[in-house]
Amino acid sequence: MSEELRTGRLALRPVGPGDHAALLAHWTGPLVRRHLFGDRRVSARQVTEIIAASRRDFAASGYGLWALRPALRRP
């Protein structure tokens, strides 16, 4: 899925391979890990698998994980 949802300040788009480093950094933080993964450490391989599963879910069913970023201002 390549759709992007935008507001004046935010952009949402399905996660992809380019989000790997940011997701790994976020998901390995102790507070995030505690609430999302039962305090288990998430490996780089698991992040790759989660991204791939999300992309398959979007293709098959229209849902998956979204990345939220500040919107780039257009002139």
Side-chain angles (χ1 to χ4, degrees):
M1 178 177 193
S2 61
E3 264 188 62
E4 184 174 282
L5 304 174
R6 297 180 73 75
T7 70
R9 296 185 298 169
L10 299 173
L12 279 85
R13 60 174 173 64
V15 297
D19 299 305
H20 189 279
L23 289 173
L24 181 61
H26 182 65
W27 288 346
T28 55
L31 293 177
V32 173
R33 189 177 72 217
R34 176 178 160 205
H35 293 286
L36 288 183
F37 301 102
D39 213 22
R40 290 185 310 266
R41 192 130 178 95
V42 178
S43 70
R45 182 177 178 182
Q46 288 172 302
V47 173
T48 299
E49 291 169 356
I50 292 168
I51 291 170
S54 178
R55 292 169 64 88
R56 285 191 304 273
D57 289 342
F58 268 115
S61 304
Y63 66 86
L65 298 175
W66 291 82
L68 175 66
R69 301 277 190 209
L72 299 176
R73 299 201 183 248
R74 294 182 181 158

